Amino acid sequence: MPQEIRIKIYVLSGKPLGDDSGVEKLDNVICTGYVSDSEARALMQYCRAFLFPSTYEGFGIPPMEALCMGAPVVLGDIPVLHEIYGNAAYYVDCDNADISIEQLLKQGGREAPETVLSRYSWEKIRTDYDGSFDKIV
């Protein structure tokens, strides 16, 4: 019988979660609290997947950072994240705890991250804003 592999999940949060979910008490979850930019980049660069199970989001910069670091991203299945990340991400129902991330990642067929990253580069945003401000003035 194969040995079960326990995956460690790192929760990056500036402060304790303080919720009633019990996440902080799980033995395979490490709540790091605040981490430096370089630590966050290293965690994203070497993670098996970056999980962002948001049910409400305006844009979602952390998954964009994870894509920049080469991490596959698994996002909450909400319209705004589909609009931004398209087929470059995997999506999950945040209300369903019975999900195998390993099985999800084996599906493959994701769009290249560069497709998303090129649409939202700092240079492109600056150029778009400059043009918008010119039209207003």
Side-chain angles (χ1 to χ4, degrees):
M1 180 185 217
Q3 184 177 359
E4 181 181 330
I5 298 172
R6 295 285 293 175
I7 296 173
K8 289 288 185 186
I9 299 171
Y10 291 83
V11 176
L12 309 182
S13 170
K15 57 184 177 179
L17 299 176
D19 61 23
D20 296 327
S21 69
V23 168
E24 295 179 4
K25 294 180 180 119
L26 297 172
D27 66 347
N28 68 327
V29 173
I30 298 169
C31 294
T32 65
Y34 175 81
V35 296
S36 69
D37 289 343
S38 61
E39 290 169 320
R41 279 192 302 274
L43 287 166
M44 289 178 189
Q45 184 175 4
Y46 297 107
C47 69
R48 177 73 180 104
F50 180 84
L51 310 180
F52 195 72
S54 180
T55 57
Y56 176 80
E57 191 60 41
F59 183 80
I61 288 180
M64 194 70 64
E65 293 172 321
L67 278 180
C68 285
M69 301 311 312
V73 295
V74 178
L75 307 174
D77 191 5
I78 58 175
V80 68
L81 295 178
H82 277 276
E83 181 180 336
I84 295 166
Y85 293 95
N87 291 328
Y90 299 91
Y91 297 93
V92 295
D93 175 358
C94 295
D95 294 323
N96 179 5
D98 190 29
I99 296 170
S100 168
I101 298 300
E102 288 300 322
Q103 289 299 318
L104 186 66
L105 295 176
K106 285 180 183 176
Q107 292 175 4
R110 298 289 91 193
E111 184 177 27
E114 292 76 24
T115 306
V116 173
L117 297 173
S118 67
R119 285 194 307 256
Y120 297 103
S121 71
W122 288 116
E123 181 61 29
K124 179 164 179 17
I125 291 170
R126 184 191 62 76
T127 303
D128 289 351
Y129 276 117
D130 283 349
S132 297
F133 289 128
D134 289 344
K135 290 176 187 176
I136 294 171
V137 178

Short mmCIF file of all heavy atoms in Angstrom, two decimals, residues 27 37 39 64 70 86 93 100 102 126:
data_model
loop_
_atom_site.label_atom_id
_atom_site.label_comp_id
_atom_site.label_asym_id
_atom_site.label_seq_id
_atom_site.Cartn_x
_atom_site.Cartn_y
_atom_site.Cartn_z
N ASP A 27 -2.62 20.26 11.32
CA ASP A 27 -1.21 19.91 11.46
C ASP A 27 -0.40 20.07 10.17
O ASP A 27 0.82 20.10 10.21
CB ASP A 27 -1.04 18.50 12.03
CG ASP A 27 -1.55 17.41 11.10
OD1 ASP A 27 -2.24 17.72 10.12
OD2 ASP A 27 -1.25 16.24 11.36
N ASP A 37 9.27 40.33 1.15
CA ASP A 37 9.04 40.15 -0.28
C ASP A 37 9.87 39.00 -0.83
O ASP A 37 9.40 38.19 -1.63
CB ASP A 37 9.35 41.43 -1.06
CG ASP A 37 8.33 42.53 -0.82
OD1 ASP A 37 7.22 42.22 -0.32
OD2 ASP A 37 8.64 43.69 -1.12
N GLU A 39 11.06 36.39 0.80
CA GLU A 39 10.53 35.11 1.29
C GLU A 39 9.26 34.71 0.53
O GLU A 39 9.09 33.55 0.16
CB GLU A 39 10.22 35.20 2.79
CG GLU A 39 11.46 35.30 3.66
CD GLU A 39 11.13 35.67 5.10
OE1 GLU A 39 10.25 36.52 5.33
OE2 GLU A 39 11.77 35.08 5.99
N MET A 64 -1.13 36.86 -9.58
CA MET A 64 -0.32 37.42 -10.67
C MET A 64 1.16 37.31 -10.30
O MET A 64 2.00 36.95 -11.13
CB MET A 64 -0.72 38.89 -10.90
CG MET A 64 -0.21 39.48 -12.16
SD MET A 64 -0.96 38.84 -13.66
CE MET A 64 -2.67 39.35 -13.51
N GLY A 70 6.39 31.57 -11.78
CA GLY A 70 6.31 30.26 -12.44
C GLY A 70 5.44 29.23 -11.74
O GLY A 70 5.45 28.06 -12.11
N GLY A 86 -8.19 33.78 -17.15
CA GLY A 86 -8.58 32.92 -18.26
C GLY A 86 -8.19 31.46 -18.07
O GLY A 86 -8.37 30.90 -17.00
N ASP A 93 -14.30 25.16 -6.79
CA ASP A 93 -15.45 25.61 -6.02
C ASP A 93 -14.99 25.72 -4.57
O ASP A 93 -14.66 24.71 -3.94
CB ASP A 93 -16.59 24.59 -6.16
CG ASP A 93 -17.79 24.91 -5.31
OD1 ASP A 93 -17.77 25.90 -4.54
OD2 ASP A 93 -18.77 24.15 -5.38
N SER A 100 -8.84 17.33 -4.93
CA SER A 100 -7.46 16.87 -4.98
C SER A 100 -6.68 17.84 -5.87
O SER A 100 -6.86 17.85 -7.09
CB SER A 100 -7.38 15.46 -5.54
OG SER A 100 -6.02 15.14 -5.84
N GLU A 102 -3.56 17.64 -6.54
CA GLU A 102 -2.70 16.84 -7.42
C GLU A 102 -3.45 16.40 -8.66
O GLU A 102 -2.93 16.48 -9.77
CB GLU A 102 -2.13 15.63 -6.67
CG GLU A 102 -1.07 15.99 -5.64
CD GLU A 102 0.14 16.69 -6.25
OE1 GLU A 102 0.56 16.35 -7.37
OE2 GLU A 102 0.66 17.60 -5.59
N ARG A 126 0.86 51.45 -17.37
CA ARG A 126 1.30 52.85 -17.40
C ARG A 126 0.91 53.51 -18.73
O ARG A 126 0.37 54.61 -18.76
CB ARG A 126 2.81 52.96 -17.19
CG ARG A 126 3.28 54.42 -17.11
CD ARG A 126 4.79 54.55 -17.17
NE ARG A 126 5.36 54.07 -18.41
CZ ARG A 126 5.33 54.73 -19.59
NH1 ARG A 126 4.71 55.88 -19.68
NH2 ARG A 126 5.89 54.23 -20.66
#
